Amino acid sequence: MKKIVILGALSAIARQVARQIVGHDVEMLLVGRSPRRLAELRRDLQLRGSKRVEIFQADLENLEEQRAAYEYARRQLVDFDVLLLAYGALLDPKSAVCDSQWVTRQLTVNFVSAAAALTLFAEHFEKRMEGCLAAITSVAGDRGRPANYVYGSAKGGLALFLQGLRARLHPCGVSVITIKPGPVDTPMTEFFQPRRLLARPESVAAEIVRALERRRPAVLYTPAYWRPLMAGIRALPEPIMRRLQI
Amino acid sequence: MAVPVFSRRASVSSPVPESSLGRGRRDIESWGRYPHGAHRRVLRAWWSDQVPACLANAGPASILPGGLRRSYGDSCLNFGRDLLDCTPLDRFLFADFQRGILRCEAGVTLHEILRMVVPRGWFLPVLPGTAHVTLGGAIANDIHGKNHHRQGSIGRHLRQLMLSRSDAPELLCSPNSEIELFRATIGGLGLTGVILWAEMQLKPVSSPWLLARKSVFKSLDEFFYLTAQNDDSEEYTVAWLDGFARSDPQGVFFSASHAPAPVENHSGEASLQRHAFPVARGIPGQCLNPWTIRLFNAAYRNYQERSTRTKLIHYRSFFFPLDSLDNWNRIYGRGGLVQYQCLLPEDPGILRRLLAKISISGQVSFLMVLKRFGNLASPGILAFPRPGLTLALDFPMRGRRTLQLLDELDAIVLPCGGALYPAKDARMSRAAFQSSFPNWRRFRAAIDPKCSSSFWRRVTEW
Ligand SMILES: Cc1cc2nc3c(=O)[nH]c(=O)nc-3n(C[C@H](O)[C@H](O)[C@H](O)COP(=O)(O)OP(=O)(O)OC[C@H]3O[C@@H](n4cnc5c(N)ncnc54)[C@H](O)[C@@H]3O)c2cc1C
Ligand SMILES: NC(=O)c1ccc[n+]([C@@H]2O[C@H](COP(=O)([O-])OP(=O)(O)OC[C@H]3O[C@@H](n4cnc5c(N)ncnc54)[C@H](OP(=O)(O)O)[C@@H]3O)[C@@H](O)[C@H]2O)c1
């Protein structure tokens, strides 16, 4: 890993990733919404010894701003070899499950805009014939559950999208990594109970960094026990799943 | 084409989200695990720009900023009300390694600061007995270290700090501006508002290795002699007292200074990060009883008497021996522990009376640490360190019996002009606090009306 672009760099998980690769001699471009926070983050990474940190402000739900970020990356970092898509939103489930606007918004941030961004950046990697695209989806995308199926379907859709992209880019030597974290202790899970089931963003980030460096596995479950756990949950027959209401 | 955009930028200035630390709200404990209680909410500040909104939305006397809860008693707790966890504010903001100036957010730990500055030849001017405290917590308790006789408390080394108050989102406080608030915030127990960041002057050191010496002493007079001799020449001094010494306390006197020349492995910071050994939950409190404590003290004494007198030691082993055990406070079991750290006049008679009282009570302190404070005054209005001796004792919490003993100790300490350290306290009376911190009324004027703590209510409210 030499040059990385992080979309949604202000997310708690992405921040840890950025902090952990400081010592690896990596140049980074951080894309996020708040200019003040981006500047703070850049300063911190520089003081911790980062080689080069660029920042770019963009609302990634907006395709034009997305493209601007892409062009900025091409101009500044030129031949970046890793993309990490880390943004996402878990909108307050209590607010409106039956509200179609709420549903559309949830799908737009987590799926539509992410798929669009990956398509845009895939172009760059296809030309380069080398590199790694990674995106954070979620274990929530592995099975529809009453509590979060809207978010889950967006993340599940993104996982399918990544699977297809991986197969498409495989002949060019570009790797595509699907990252599926279990619940992590970040602003996104402030309401989650019980707290002790939450993984620490530091350890999730460490596994992501390792995957980015090794360019595999194709699908990363983090922490690792989620792989067998989700295999089990996926295998549960529908009638049982319905009755359990989990 | 643009994807439809629904309510953009909703979360940039959103109020601070709610969270529960540890295992749900009820479980929030300080380091002593006493007293127990429940909080209403625990909020977390992920970015400093969230803090002003959070204070603005808080009710009167409802919120307390918090760090890593390494305070022993209830000064970092706010039962029935809210806590604002500031540990995610963990970014470095500015550093000048020519002049040794470092500015960072309040949630950065001393551990992280050392990792950053030691390889560059700088050091923290003041270090407590653990590196796992935040800068905000260190300032709010105006911490002191083994070099108090040389450097004073941490408040002396602050150049400026940014305070967020309910009436002023960002207020720069320093020895030249907002002087009263600056002085109130040093040792201000989190009550004057939320410290967003602070800038301090670091201390240059020749190496992270220390040349440490120790001497066994057999009487208090010997201790006073050793202190008088070493405090001029040595940067760090502290003494360990044998918990079972009868008529005249015995113990070991430690002193150290930074090794003069850079020892090889100067930047061995990373390689020295040993893994901390975790202490299991649910250890029964009976594991620490007078018998096992006696055994420990004897073994420790024996070890100290036999091992070498002078050695080169890495600063982490010297300052933070307990950090190699994660959560060592669990050794005390469910009941927890109370620490009693007092300030005493330099009078061997008073110290002897105190130790005799403990000895008669049949309760024993696991660790007894004695140190002479120097006379460098802190800028803090509520500062605890003053010229004199400071003695720290750890008692397993055994309910009424323990509290009774500590009240009896107060009766010796307070009349002679002593004081108790709020960071370690869970039980001092209102009268005890008000008489030993005579500036408390002046301090009260600087409190943010939205802030309060269990400690503050205990020692000031009727
Ligand atoms: C093993 C051990 C050894 C110790 N040795 C020493 C020692 O040698 N000398 C010494 O002086 N102390 C010592 N202490 C005590 C410790 O240094 C202090 O209690 C310190 O304040 C703890 O910091 P914290 O980050 O855990 O803060 P907390 O305990 O969470 O909070 C302490 C206070 O700081 C306030 N606070 C925290 N963050 C902020 C913020 N951002 N803005 C405003 N207020 C804030 C809180 O409201 C609270 O009043 C020791 C503690 C332990 C466990
Ligand atoms: N936490 C978990 O338990 C968990 C589990 C599985 C998967 N994930 C996924 O992990 C990723 C990181 O999340 P996190 O846990 O670190 O939570 P987080 O800190 O809340 O991060 C989410 C980030 O996405 C950003 N974002 C949202 N919409 C955006 C937009 N339109 N444009 C630009 N940025 C936008 C947010 O920016 P603002 O700060 O500007 O709002 C925020 O920084 C997300 O994709 C999440 O779905 C999380």
Side-chain angles (χ1 to χ4, degrees), chain B residues 6-23:
Chain B
F6 305 95
S7 81
R8 299 174 50 178
R9 308 241 150 81
S11 54
V12 169
S13 58
S14 58
V16 183
E18 184 175 328
S19 89
S20 7
L21 294 170
R23 294 172 295 141

mmCIF file with all atom_site columns, all heavy atoms in Angstrom, chain B residues 6-23:
data_model
loop_
_atom_site.group_PDB
_atom_site.id
_atom_site.type_symbol
_atom_site.label_atom_id
_atom_site.label_alt_id
_atom_site.label_comp_id
_atom_site.label_asym_id
_atom_site.label_entity_id
_atom_site.label_seq_id
_atom_site.pdbx_PDB_ins_code
_atom_site.Cartn_x
_atom_site.Cartn_y
_atom_site.Cartn_z
_atom_site.occupancy
_atom_site.B_iso_or_equiv
_atom_site.pdbx_formal_charge
_atom_site.auth_seq_id
_atom_site.auth_comp_id
_atom_site.auth_asym_id
_atom_site.auth_atom_id
_atom_site.pdbx_PDB_model_num
ATOM 1   N N   . PHE B 1 6  ? -31.370 13.980 0.370  1.00 0.00 ? 6  PHE B N   1
ATOM 2   C CA  . PHE B 1 6  ? -32.361 14.234 1.414  1.00 0.00 ? 6  PHE B CA  1
ATOM 3   C C   . PHE B 1 6  ? -31.648 14.803 2.622  1.00 0.00 ? 6  PHE B C   1
ATOM 4   O O   . PHE B 1 6  ? -30.668 14.229 3.075  1.00 0.00 ? 6  PHE B O   1
ATOM 5   C CB  . PHE B 1 6  ? -33.070 12.939 1.803  1.00 0.00 ? 6  PHE B CB  1
ATOM 6   C CG  . PHE B 1 6  ? -33.684 12.239 0.643  1.00 0.00 ? 6  PHE B CG  1
ATOM 7   C CD1 . PHE B 1 6  ? -33.008 11.229 -0.026 1.00 0.00 ? 6  PHE B CD1 1
ATOM 8   C CD2 . PHE B 1 6  ? -34.937 12.621 0.182  1.00 0.00 ? 6  PHE B CD2 1
ATOM 9   C CE1 . PHE B 1 6  ? -33.580 10.589 -1.096 1.00 0.00 ? 6  PHE B CE1 1
ATOM 10  C CE2 . PHE B 1 6  ? -35.511 11.972 -0.895 1.00 0.00 ? 6  PHE B CE2 1
ATOM 11  C CZ  . PHE B 1 6  ? -34.836 10.955 -1.544 1.00 0.00 ? 6  PHE B CZ  1
ATOM 12  N N   . SER B 1 7  ? -32.155 15.865 3.123  1.00 0.00 ? 7  SER B N   1
ATOM 13  C CA  . SER B 1 7  ? -31.625 16.556 4.314  1.00 0.00 ? 7  SER B CA  1
ATOM 14  C C   . SER B 1 7  ? -30.120 16.372 4.485  1.00 0.00 ? 7  SER B C   1
ATOM 15  O O   . SER B 1 7  ? -29.653 15.545 5.251  1.00 0.00 ? 7  SER B O   1
ATOM 16  C CB  . SER B 1 7  ? -32.360 16.106 5.580  1.00 0.00 ? 7  SER B CB  1
ATOM 17  O OG  . SER B 1 7  ? -31.871 14.908 6.058  1.00 0.00 ? 7  SER B OG  1
ATOM 18  N N   . ARG B 1 8  ? -29.390 17.156 3.754  1.00 0.00 ? 8  ARG B N   1
ATOM 19  C CA  . ARG B 1 8  ? -27.931 17.044 3.780  1.00 0.00 ? 8  ARG B CA  1
ATOM 20  C C   . ARG B 1 8  ? -27.339 17.593 5.061  1.00 0.00 ? 8  ARG B C   1
ATOM 21  O O   . ARG B 1 8  ? -27.932 18.408 5.730  1.00 0.00 ? 8  ARG B O   1
ATOM 22  C CB  . ARG B 1 8  ? -27.368 17.815 2.603  1.00 0.00 ? 8  ARG B CB  1
ATOM 23  C CG  . ARG B 1 8  ? -27.858 17.251 1.294  1.00 0.00 ? 8  ARG B CG  1
ATOM 24  C CD  . ARG B 1 8  ? -27.413 18.118 0.170  1.00 0.00 ? 8  ARG B CD  1
ATOM 25  N NE  . ARG B 1 8  ? -25.976 18.394 0.281  1.00 0.00 ? 8  ARG B NE  1
ATOM 26  C CZ  . ARG B 1 8  ? -25.322 19.112 -0.619 1.00 0.00 ? 8  ARG B CZ  1
ATOM 27  N NH1 . ARG B 1 8  ? -25.942 19.612 -1.634 1.00 0.00 ? 8  ARG B NH1 1
ATOM 28  N NH2 . ARG B 1 8  ? -24.038 19.328 -0.464 1.00 0.00 ? 8  ARG B NH2 1
ATOM 29  N N   . ARG B 1 9  ? -26.138 17.167 5.335  1.00 0.00 ? 9  ARG B N   1
ATOM 30  C CA  . ARG B 1 9  ? -25.378 17.654 6.489  1.00 0.00 ? 9  ARG B CA  1
ATOM 31  C C   . ARG B 1 9  ? -26.152 17.541 7.791  1.00 0.00 ? 9  ARG B C   1
ATOM 32  O O   . ARG B 1 9  ? -26.031 18.375 8.662  1.00 0.00 ? 9  ARG B O   1
ATOM 33  C CB  . ARG B 1 9  ? -25.017 19.128 6.330  1.00 0.00 ? 9  ARG B CB  1
ATOM 34  C CG  . ARG B 1 9  ? -24.342 19.437 5.039  1.00 0.00 ? 9  ARG B CG  1
ATOM 35  C CD  . ARG B 1 9  ? -22.966 20.002 5.225  1.00 0.00 ? 9  ARG B CD  1
ATOM 36  N NE  . ARG B 1 9  ? -22.129 19.635 4.089  1.00 0.00 ? 9  ARG B NE  1
ATOM 37  C CZ  . ARG B 1 9  ? -22.119 20.265 2.921  1.00 0.00 ? 9  ARG B CZ  1
ATOM 38  N NH1 . ARG B 1 9  ? -22.851 21.328 2.739  1.00 0.00 ? 9  ARG B NH1 1
ATOM 39  N NH2 . ARG B 1 9  ? -21.347 19.847 1.961  1.00 0.00 ? 9  ARG B NH2 1
ATOM 40  N N   . ALA B 1 10 ? -26.966 16.537 7.883  1.00 0.00 ? 10 ALA B N   1
ATOM 41  C CA  . ALA B 1 10 ? -27.763 16.431 9.103  1.00 0.00 ? 10 ALA B CA  1
ATOM 42  C C   . ALA B 1 10 ? -26.882 16.241 10.324 1.00 0.00 ? 10 ALA B C   1
ATOM 43  O O   . ALA B 1 10 ? -27.154 16.773 11.377 1.00 0.00 ? 10 ALA B O   1
ATOM 44  C CB  . ALA B 1 10 ? -28.728 15.268 8.992  1.00 0.00 ? 10 ALA B CB  1
ATOM 45  N N   . SER B 1 11 ? -25.792 15.524 10.147 1.00 0.00 ? 11 SER B N   1
ATOM 46  C CA  . SER B 1 11 ? -25.099 15.101 11.362 1.00 0.00 ? 11 SER B CA  1
ATOM 47  C C   . SER B 1 11 ? -23.859 15.914 11.710 1.00 0.00 ? 11 SER B C   1
ATOM 48  O O   . SER B 1 11 ? -23.244 15.679 12.724 1.00 0.00 ? 11 SER B O   1
ATOM 49  C CB  . SER B 1 11 ? -24.712 13.635 11.231 1.00 0.00 ? 11 SER B CB  1
ATOM 50  O OG  . SER B 1 11 ? -23.977 13.466 10.049 1.00 0.00 ? 11 SER B OG  1
ATOM 51  N N   . VAL B 1 12 ? -23.496 16.882 10.858 1.00 0.00 ? 12 VAL B N   1
ATOM 52  C CA  . VAL B 1 12 ? -22.241 17.570 11.138 1.00 0.00 ? 12 VAL B CA  1
ATOM 53  C C   . VAL B 1 12 ? -22.266 18.279 12.484 1.00 0.00 ? 12 VAL B C   1
ATOM 54  O O   . VAL B 1 12 ? -21.346 18.210 13.261 1.00 0.00 ? 12 VAL B O   1
ATOM 55  C CB  . VAL B 1 12 ? -21.889 18.532 9.998  1.00 0.00 ? 12 VAL B CB  1
ATOM 56  C CG1 . VAL B 1 12 ? -20.747 19.430 10.389 1.00 0.00 ? 12 VAL B CG1 1
ATOM 57  C CG2 . VAL B 1 12 ? -21.504 17.716 8.776  1.00 0.00 ? 12 VAL B CG2 1
ATOM 58  N N   . SER B 1 13 ? -23.381 18.946 12.776 1.00 0.00 ? 13 SER B N   1
ATOM 59  C CA  . SER B 1 13 ? -23.403 19.623 14.062 1.00 0.00 ? 13 SER B CA  1
ATOM 60  C C   . SER B 1 13 ? -24.450 19.010 14.981 1.00 0.00 ? 13 SER B C   1
ATOM 61  O O   . SER B 1 13 ? -25.030 19.665 15.805 1.00 0.00 ? 13 SER B O   1
ATOM 62  C CB  . SER B 1 13 ? -23.683 21.106 13.866 1.00 0.00 ? 13 SER B CB  1
ATOM 63  O OG  . SER B 1 13 ? -24.918 21.221 13.201 1.00 0.00 ? 13 SER B OG  1
ATOM 64  N N   . SER B 1 14 ? -24.711 17.731 14.768 1.00 0.00 ? 14 SER B N   1
ATOM 65  C CA  . SER B 1 14 ? -25.719 17.079 15.589 1.00 0.00 ? 14 SER B CA  1
ATOM 66  C C   . SER B 1 14 ? -25.276 17.055 17.039 1.00 0.00 ? 14 SER B C   1
ATOM 67  O O   . SER B 1 14 ? -24.094 17.076 17.330 1.00 0.00 ? 14 SER B O   1
ATOM 68  C CB  . SER B 1 14 ? -25.920 15.652 15.094 1.00 0.00 ? 14 SER B CB  1
ATOM 69  O OG  . SER B 1 14 ? -24.703 14.963 15.135 1.00 0.00 ? 14 SER B OG  1
ATOM 70  N N   . PRO B 1 15 ? -26.240 17.029 17.964 1.00 0.00 ? 15 PRO B N   1
ATOM 71  C CA  . PRO B 1 15 ? -25.847 16.961 19.369 1.00 0.00 ? 15 PRO B CA  1
ATOM 72  C C   . PRO B 1 15 ? -25.073 15.678 19.645 1.00 0.00 ? 15 PRO B C   1
ATOM 73  O O   . PRO B 1 15 ? -25.122 14.734 18.868 1.00 0.00 ? 15 PRO B O   1
ATOM 74  C CB  . PRO B 1 15 ? -27.181 16.973 20.110 1.00 0.00 ? 15 PRO B CB  1
ATOM 75  C CG  . PRO B 1 15 ? -28.206 16.609 19.106 1.00 0.00 ? 15 PRO B CG  1
ATOM 76  C CD  . PRO B 1 15 ? -27.682 17.031 17.780 1.00 0.00 ? 15 PRO B CD  1
ATOM 77  N N   . VAL B 1 16 ? -24.365 15.682 20.747 1.00 0.00 ? 16 VAL B N   1
ATOM 78  C CA  . VAL B 1 16 ? -23.532 14.534 21.062 1.00 0.00 ? 16 VAL B CA  1
ATOM 79  C C   . VAL B 1 16 ? -24.407 13.312 21.279 1.00 0.00 ? 16 VAL B C   1
ATOM 80  O O   . VAL B 1 16 ? -25.412 13.381 21.969 1.00 0.00 ? 16 VAL B O   1
ATOM 81  C CB  . VAL B 1 16 ? -22.747 14.826 22.345 1.00 0.00 ? 16 VAL B CB  1
ATOM 82  C CG1 . VAL B 1 16 ? -21.823 13.686 22.657 1.00 0.00 ? 16 VAL B CG1 1
ATOM 83  C CG2 . VAL B 1 16 ? -21.981 16.094 22.165 1.00 0.00 ? 16 VAL B CG2 1
ATOM 84  N N   . PRO B 1 17 ? -24.047 12.211 20.668 1.00 0.00 ? 17 PRO B N   1
ATOM 85  C CA  . PRO B 1 17 ? -24.862 11.015 20.839 1.00 0.00 ? 17 PRO B CA  1
ATOM 86  C C   . PRO B 1 17 ? -24.720 10.428 22.245 1.00 0.00 ? 17 PRO B C   1
ATOM 87  O O   . PRO B 1 17 ? -23.751 10.668 22.938 1.00 0.00 ? 17 PRO B O   1
ATOM 88  C CB  . PRO B 1 17 ? -24.290 10.055 19.808 1.00 0.00 ? 17 PRO B CB  1
ATOM 89  C CG  . PRO B 1 17 ? -22.926 10.539 19.528 1.00 0.00 ? 17 PRO B CG  1
ATOM 90  C CD  . PRO B 1 17 ? -22.916 12.007 19.788 1.00 0.00 ? 17 PRO B CD  1
ATOM 91  N N   . GLU B 1 18 ? -25.700 9.667  22.582 1.00 0.00 ? 18 GLU B N   1
ATOM 92  C CA  . GLU B 1 18 ? -25.732 9.070  23.906 1.00 0.00 ? 18 GLU B CA  1
ATOM 93  C C   . GLU B 1 18 ? -25.001 7.730  23.879 1.00 0.00 ? 18 GLU B C   1
ATOM 94  O O   . GLU B 1 18 ? -24.996 7.053  22.882 1.00 0.00 ? 18 GLU B O   1
ATOM 95  C CB  . GLU B 1 18 ? -27.201 8.838  24.254 1.00 0.00 ? 18 GLU B CB  1
ATOM 96  C CG  . GLU B 1 18 ? -27.437 8.309  25.615 1.00 0.00 ? 18 GLU B CG  1
ATOM 97  C CD  . GLU B 1 18 ? -28.932 8.226  25.892 1.00 0.00 ? 18 GLU B CD  1
ATOM 98  O OE1 . GLU B 1 18 ? -29.674 9.067  25.367 1.00 0.00 ? 18 GLU B OE1 1
ATOM 99  O OE2 . GLU B 1 18 ? -29.322 7.333  26.615 1.00 0.00 ? 18 GLU B OE2 1
ATOM 100 N N   . SER B 1 19 ? -24.406 7.355  24.952 1.00 0.00 ? 19 SER B N   1
ATOM 101 C CA  . SER B 1 19 ? -23.799 6.037  24.976 1.00 0.00 ? 19 SER B CA  1
ATOM 102 C C   . SER B 1 19 ? -23.773 5.532  26.394 1.00 0.00 ? 19 SER B C   1
ATOM 103 O O   . SER B 1 19 ? -24.011 6.254  27.330 1.00 0.00 ? 19 SER B O   1
ATOM 104 C CB  . SER B 1 19 ? -22.376 6.095  24.468 1.00 0.00 ? 19 SER B CB  1
ATOM 105 O OG  . SER B 1 19 ? -21.498 6.361  25.524 1.00 0.00 ? 19 SER B OG  1
ATOM 106 N N   . SER B 1 20 ? -23.509 4.277  26.529 1.00 0.00 ? 20 SER B N   1
ATOM 107 C CA  . SER B 1 20 ? -23.247 3.787  27.870 1.00 0.00 ? 20 SER B CA  1
ATOM 108 C C   . SER B 1 20 ? -21.885 3.145  27.845 1.00 0.00 ? 20 SER B C   1
ATOM 109 O O   . SER B 1 20 ? -21.589 2.336  26.996 1.00 0.00 ? 20 SER B O   1
ATOM 110 C CB  . SER B 1 20 ? -24.297 2.790  28.291 1.00 0.00 ? 20 SER B CB  1
ATOM 111 O OG  . SER B 1 20 ? -25.140 2.501  27.225 1.00 0.00 ? 20 SER B OG  1
ATOM 112 N N   . LEU B 1 21 ? -21.046 3.555  28.752 1.00 0.00 ? 21 LEU B N   1
ATOM 113 C CA  . LEU B 1 21 ? -19.710 2.998  28.822 1.00 0.00 ? 21 LEU B CA  1
ATOM 114 C C   . LEU B 1 21 ? -19.794 1.639  29.466 1.00 0.00 ? 21 LEU B C   1
ATOM 115 O O   . LEU B 1 21 ? -20.701 1.367  30.215 1.00 0.00 ? 21 LEU B O   1
ATOM 116 C CB  . LEU B 1 21 ? -18.861 3.871  29.734 1.00 0.00 ? 21 LEU B CB  1
ATOM 117 C CG  . LEU B 1 21 ? -18.593 5.253  29.228 1.00 0.00 ? 21 LEU B CG  1
ATOM 118 C CD1 . LEU B 1 21 ? -17.978 6.049  30.332 1.00 0.00 ? 21 LEU B CD1 1
ATOM 119 C CD2 . LEU B 1 21 ? -17.667 5.150  28.059 1.00 0.00 ? 21 LEU B CD2 1
ATOM 120 N N   . GLY B 1 22 ? -18.796 0.837  29.225 1.00 0.00 ? 22 GLY B N   1
ATOM 121 C CA  . GLY B 1 22 ? -18.708 -0.436 29.922 1.00 0.00 ? 22 GLY B CA  1
ATOM 122 C C   . GLY B 1 22 ? -19.984 -1.234 29.733 1.00 0.00 ? 22 GLY B C   1
ATOM 123 O O   . GLY B 1 22 ? -20.526 -1.308 28.649 1.00 0.00 ? 22 GLY B O   1
ATOM 124 N N   . ARG B 1 23 ? -20.472 -1.820 30.782 1.00 0.00 ? 23 ARG B N   1
ATOM 125 C CA  . ARG B 1 23 ? -21.626 -2.687 30.658 1.00 0.00 ? 23 ARG B CA  1
ATOM 126 C C   . ARG B 1 23 ? -22.897 -1.970 31.054 1.00 0.00 ? 23 ARG B C   1
ATOM 127 O O   . ARG B 1 23 ? -23.507 -2.282 32.054 1.00 0.00 ? 23 ARG B O   1
ATOM 128 C CB  . ARG B 1 23 ? -21.421 -3.933 31.505 1.00 0.00 ? 23 ARG B CB  1
ATOM 129 C CG  . ARG B 1 23 ? -20.295 -4.780 30.988 1.00 0.00 ? 23 ARG B CG  1
ATOM 130 C CD  . ARG B 1 23 ? -19.987 -5.903 31.941 1.00 0.00 ? 23 ARG B CD  1
ATOM 131 N NE  . ARG B 1 23 ? -19.487 -5.402 33.208 1.00 0.00 ? 23 ARG B NE  1
ATOM 132 C CZ  . ARG B 1 23 ? -19.813 -5.918 34.377 1.00 0.00 ? 23 ARG B CZ  1
ATOM 133 N NH1 . ARG B 1 23 ? -20.660 -6.894 34.461 1.00 0.00 ? 23 ARG B NH1 1
ATOM 134 N NH2 . ARG B 1 23 ? -19.282 -5.441 35.476 1.00 0.00 ? 23 ARG B NH2 1
#
